Each structure stands twice: as C-alpha cells, then as structure tokens.
Amino acid sequence: MIAEVQEKTISSAPSLITETEALEILEGKTPLLTVVARASEERHRYFTNRVRIHILDNIKNGYCPEDCGYCAQRKGGDSGIQEYSLKSPEEIWEDAKRAKDNGAYRFCMVTSGRGPTDKAVDKLAETISKINGELGMKVCLSAGILDAKKARVLKDAGLDRYNHNLNTSESKYNEICSTHTFKDRLTTLEAAKEADIGLCSGIIVGMGEELKDLVQVAFELKRLGVISIPVNFFIPIKGHAIQKSSLTPEFCIRVLSVFRLVNPDSEIRIGAGREGHLGSLQSMALFVANSLFAEGYLNVKGSEMVQTMNLIRDCSMVPEFTEGVPEGWDEYEAQSLYDEKNFPELYKHKK
C-alpha cells in the first residue's frame, strides 16, 4: 500500500518577505531571534512539531560526464570515491526496507550521470512501484536531466518527488558547471511538474556566491512552486573545483529562515553540511526547517540515526512516519547521557 499521508505537490502560500527584506536578513540587519521567531511561526503553521527524516541511497556512483564543480563525482575530479554502476532492483529495495525500518519518512534514490536512458527509467519505475506497493514508502528520485515522456513513466510508477537542485542563481551557474545550463535544470523541473510530480529543488550555500544569488534562488523556487527545498551547505572535500565561502552557524540559520519566509508552506530541509556548518545551532535550525537527512549524504558521512532522533527529541519534536512507528523508536527516546549505565564514565576523578 502506498503511504497514507497525502501531500500537495505544489507550494501555493505567498512569500512573506520581499527581496529587499531577504537581503537585509542575510546582511544581519534584522536581529537573529526576530527572524527565527517569525520563520518558526510559519514552520509550525504548516508542519506543527513534526520532522521528516530522509535517507539518501546513492544507487549509482561516479562515471559521470558532467563537470559540476561542487560534486566529488564530476569528471576528472580525482576524489578517490568508489565508483559503481546502477544497483540492482533487489539491492535498492533492500536499502529502502532498511531505511524504513530506521525511521525514514522518504527514501531518496540518487544516480550520477547527465540523465537516465529509457531503459534505466523503466528499471527505476519497476523499483519505485515495488517500494510503494510492498513498503508503502514515499520515494524521491534524483537522476539528472529528464524529459516529459520519462517523467510520465516515473509518475505512473508512483514517484512522489523528483529532485533536481538549482544549486545557485542563473547568473552564477556557468561558474560552477559548463556541461549543462541553468535552463536545462529549469526544463527538467518543468517536465516533472507537468507530470504532477512534486518538485524537490534547492541550493548549495557557500560556493563563492553573493547574497543576491541566494535571494534569487529562493524566489525562483517560489515561482516554480517547489514543495521540497533542500538547503545544503558546501562541504569542501577533495575533488571539488570551486571557490568556497566562509560560513558561520548564525548565517546558516539566516539562510534557512529566508527560504522559509519566501516559501512558507514548502518542506525546508537542512541538507548536507549541517553537522559541520551549523554545529551547536542544529537545534535552532529545526525550529525553522521541518526536514533533514540522516546517515550521511551522497559521498560524505553525517549524523547517525540515533543522533538525529535525539536531536529531534531534544527540541520536543517528533519524527513524522509514513505509517506506523518503526521498531526501536522507544530506544531512541530512552537514550540519555545520564542513564545509570553511563555513570562510571562520567566521573572526572576516579579512585
């Protein structure tokens, strides 16, 4: 059975700030707690105290002909990552089952490459249909450039969302990639939207962009009606080929708040880099965003599920499950540094 929770596919609530106000927030002219309070009110209006946990499955790694400067899988990147061809349907299904058992709200399949062939789309469609039918789990796919015909095949298989990040503004795009254009990305999103697939598209913050670039992306996503927006913070690992920006936890909170206030009813997800760039303000970020990734990103490790669950619990929030409660949830709730079993290790001075 397909997951019971029904979601709209288009963001329809109007933006609550102008481009000028968004810039002022990013420039630090508006007090941080004032910004967070306003963004948190909207987050609660549409999502209450629920948090959606997403788990990524990199179903094909490397062998990519694109030269996206932010990606460790780019051609000529020499990042040292393991390369492998498309996983079998059986492997992907097992990964999805494990993700659901661990408490994931949505299973996100990601494949490297410019875009899927007709044969690959048919294969992916079969897998999506099986995950929906046997696990009742929502599925998001990120597979590169897509046309209307392929989008329809995926929709008919039960695809819930299609991810294709804008990553940066149109004016900056040619600085981070030369093998495809910003327009190619827009065309893909429009094809998915036409097929009534929910759009998942976001940004990577910290690639040498100007503040106006961040604002432009926030409003472009609003124009497209994007319902799911991952806000990633650039992780400068080996294999990348772009200038990085210096990011502070406070600035990251301001970025998340801008995307919430421009897209109030969209799922705002804290994406890659939350552990390193948000640091001790991860909890504050959850009062603005209503979604996050657990168990790492495409090619970089992240927080384990138990850490993610405890973060949610510490904010007096609850994970949003597609159906039922996964086995072991009580264990996540019960874990504490001050459990009696930990007492011997807490003493600063021991006999």
Side-chain angles (χ1 to χ4, degrees), residues 291-328:
S291 174
L292 42 66
F293 286 115
E295 299 189 349
Y297 311 103
L298 287 185
N299 284 287
V300 179
K301 294 180 179 179
S303 296
E304 295 179 359
M305 183 60 77
V306 65
Q307 296 169 307
T308 302
M309 290 291 197
N310 283 332
L311 173 65
I312 294 169
R313 180 203 62 188
D314 290 349
C315 295
S316 294
M317 297 181 185
V318 294
E320 183 176 357
F321 304 118
T322 50
E323 54 178 28
V325 177
E327 183 179 349

Side-chain angles (χ1 to χ4, degrees), residues 200-212:
C200 175
S201 184
I203 191 168
I204 303 175
V205 183
M207 299 192 294
E209 69 280 338
E210 297 180 30
L211 298 182
K212 66 178 183 180

